[in-house]
Amino acid sequence: MEKMEHSAAREAPKAAGDTPGEAAGIVRRSFEAYSAEFLAITGRAQSRFEKREWNAVLSDAEERIDLYHHYLDLIESPMRALLAGQVHDYGTWERIKREYCKVYLDTYHADLALIFFYSVMRRLYLETGDSIEYSDDEIRRSVKAKIAQDPNRPIRNYPADWPKDVTPELVRRIVDDFGFQSGFRNIGEDAKLAAEMLRPELGKSLGQRRIDRIEMIESAFFRNKAAYLVGRVVSGTVIVPLILILLNPPEGIVIDGVLSEEAGLSNIFSSARSNFHTNISAYRGVLEFLESIAPARPKAYIYTSIGFIHPGKLQLVHELRNHIAQTQEKFDVAKGACRARSWSYSPFRRSTMFSRSSAMCPRRKPFADAGTSSDNTGVSIAWTGWDECWIS
């Protein structure tokens, strides 16, 4: 689906006026347009699943991965034209940031807005080689405790006292609350089997502990041809995952599996798998929930699992720096990795081209082996010759 240009990309910069304010406005409108389209793509995931539109599911996944860079592409030229000789002036960018942050002080998505701002700044500094560091400065500190605690938590509660209370009727109620519009093959039988599988597993996990409540995230998680109903069983400080996995074959939706062990979550929240499409309007509550049922998984995996690829990258850097600070370990060059003394930038499609002018690269490929590859984070690598390598 071809994306529509937004007004920030089309508007011509004014000859005179408040340049930092105008620049902040361009970035702000781009971020808002990106956020709206991200939610729109994600919001149609349930309908795709219900209608079995599998090709559209793949198209939506590709479109959402590309969305962030698409909006950076749209505003790069207007920003360069507006800032002109000040495009690499740090003082100007500080003034732009102050104007930009005014709008997002005390807003729910302040952290995401600030990450987008730094992405724009990095894009415009790309050719200089300067390192633009993300800083969780005033806009992050402005997020009040009441906002961070998510008063509108996207969670549904179900009463239960003991594992025996996980009955077919309770499973049926949980599934019905997601409001799937297409029919089930045999929800009664599936709910009975799911309850029979869950009760002994919860008994092993909880022992003699009572259940305080069962909680489910209100929006299903969709990926490829499956839907995941993600929940947890809470017993004091003990939290046990509760996940129902649905498929939609031609004969109707079925409960294909249940999961109630943290160890099994590595197969779901894996860096080797594509991202989920789920409603992240209240993303703070969703992230807290996922972290609680998968505490052993790196937070970066949790962020990227719901499509927050750039926040996930920042979280990964944060975790790496903390690890290095604690262990005093140092990076080393991996065997077979490219060594280079200098890099040069050139646009290639929507990637960055680096030419190694003095390099030892045993894995370089000749022209005859030209091709591209990509991973689930949207990072792509293209090669065309002995001395060229593209990395987005």
Side-chain angles (χ1 to χ4, degrees):
M1 179 182 299
E2 184 178 354
K3 306 181 184 67
M4 295 185 296
E5 292 188 8
H6 62 290
S7 59
R10 295 195 301 267
E11 65 182 41
K14 298 177 182 179
D18 179 16
T19 298
E22 292 179 40
I26 292 175
V27 179
R28 183 176 65 252
R29 287 187 289 275
S30 185
F31 170 70
E32 298 294 345
Y34 158 75
S35 298
E37 192 164 353
F38 185 102
L39 290 174
I41 294 172
T42 301
R44 56 183 181 246
Q46 180 157 331
S47 175
R48 301 291 199 204
F49 174 80
E50 292 167 345
K51 297 176 182 177
R52 307 182 69 252
E53 297 174 340
W54 309 130
N55 288 334
V57 167
L58 295 177
S59 297
D60 284 350
E62 181 180 0
E63 183 177 356
R64 199 182 71 167
I65 287 174
D66 193 49
L67 200 62
Y68 198 84
H69 286 287
H70 170 72
Y71 279 97
L72 294 181
D73 289 345
L74 283 180
I75 65 172
E76 182 175 359
S77 293
M79 287 290 286
R80 289 187 184 278
L82 175 64
L83 298 178
Q86 297 177 307
V87 69
H88 297 145
D89 179 70
Y90 284 102
T92 298
W93 280 100
E94 282 298 314
R95 290 190 291 274
I96 295 171
K97 186 173 70 174
R98 282 197 297 270
E99 292 296 321
Y100 179 79
C101 290
K102 288 178 182 178
V103 177
Y104 294 107
L105 293 178
D106 296 335
T107 62
Y108 186 86
H109 55 294
D111 53 341
L112 301 183
L114 186 60
I115 289 171
F116 188 84
F117 171 85
Y118 279 107
S119 293
V120 173
M121 191 175 176
R122 287 193 190 98
R123 170 64 70 89
L124 295 174
Y125 271 87
L126 190 60
E127 68 269 25
T128 69
D130 291 5
S131 176
I132 306 300
E133 292 287 336
Y134 172 84
S135 172
D136 56 347
D137 44 19
E138 67 271 19
I139 201 168
R140 173 70 65 87
R141 292 195 298 271
S142 74
V143 179
K144 304 297 186 184
K146 63 181 180 65
I147 296 177
Q149 290 172 1
D150 236 347
N152 300 312
R153 296 173 71 240
I155 310 299
R156 281 191 289 261
N157 292 323
Y158 299 87
D161 294 320
W162 302 100
K164 66 180 178 62
D165 295 327
V166 180
T167 61
E169 291 74 23
L170 177 61
V171 174
R172 176 75 178 267
R173 178 185 166 193
I174 288 173
V175 173
D176 286 346
D177 283 346
F178 284 87
F180 290 102
Q181 297 301 305
S182 55
F184 283 74
R185 184 182 62 183
N186 189 337
I187 185 58
E189 180 64 21
D190 285 356
K192 178 176 179 291
L193 292 173
E196 290 175 351
M197 294 178 66
L198 285 168
R199 283 195 296 268
E201 292 300 321
L202 293 176
K204 288 191 297 184
S205 298
L206 297 176
Q208 299 302 312
R209 300 179 64 96
R210 292 175 63 96
I211 295 175
D212 295 329
R213 63 193 178 277
I214 295 175
E215 298 180 330
M216 303 294 296
I217 297 179
E218 290 179 345
S219 175
F221 287 59
F222 298 92
R223 180 169 61 195
N224 297 330
K225 294 183 178 182
Y228 299 77
L229 313 186
V230 179
R232 63 189 177 191
V233 178
V234 181
S235 176
T237 59
V238 176
I239 294 177
V240 181
L242 195 164
I243 298 177
L244 303 176
I245 305 170
L246 309 184
L247 298 179
N248 190 11
E251 58 269 26
I253 298 175
V254 297
I255 300 178
D256 187 64
V258 298
L259 180 63
S260 60
E261 295 181 351
E262 182 187 338
L265 295 180
S266 61
N267 294 323
I268 296 179
F269 299 105
S270 168
S271 62
R273 293 183 178 270
S274 57
N275 306 320
F276 287 110
H277 285 221
T278 189
N279 184 0
I280 47 82
S281 298
Y283 61 90
R284 296 181 189 280
V286 172
L287 290 170
E288 177 275 328
F289 196 103
L290 296 179
E291 290 170 12
S292 75
I293 65 173
R297 303 301 293 163
K299 287 186 178 181
Y301 287 9
I302 302 298
Y303 276 73
T304 56
S305 72
I306 61 172
F308 282 5
I309 296 174
H310 288 76
K313 289 178 180 178
L314 288 173
Q315 180 62 37
L316 177 60
V317 171
H318 176 71
E319 292 171 1
L320 282 173
R321 286 176 171 170
N322 283 346
H323 176 79
I324 292 171
Q326 293 170 8
T327 64
Q328 300 301 308
E329 293 179 351
K330 295 182 179 181
F331 285 107
D332 196 3
V333 178
K335 292 182 179 179
C338 300
R339 296 175 180 268
R341 296 178 184 173
S342 63
W343 307 83
S344 61
Y345 166 79
S346 174
F348 174 73
R349 296 179 66 181
R350 294 170 67 175
S351 302
T352 303
M353 181 182 79
F354 296 104
S355 295
R356 295 167 172 79
S357 60
S358 176
M360 295 170 53
C361 187
R363 298 176 65 182
R364 288 178 299 185
K365 295 181 178 291
F367 253 25
D369 293 331
T372 61
S373 65
S374 64
D375 64 11
N376 67 301
T377 66
V379 175
S380 61
I381 300 173
W383 53 85
T384 62
W386 286 103
D387 295 309
E388 296 171 334
C389 183
W390 286 267
I391 305 174
S392 65

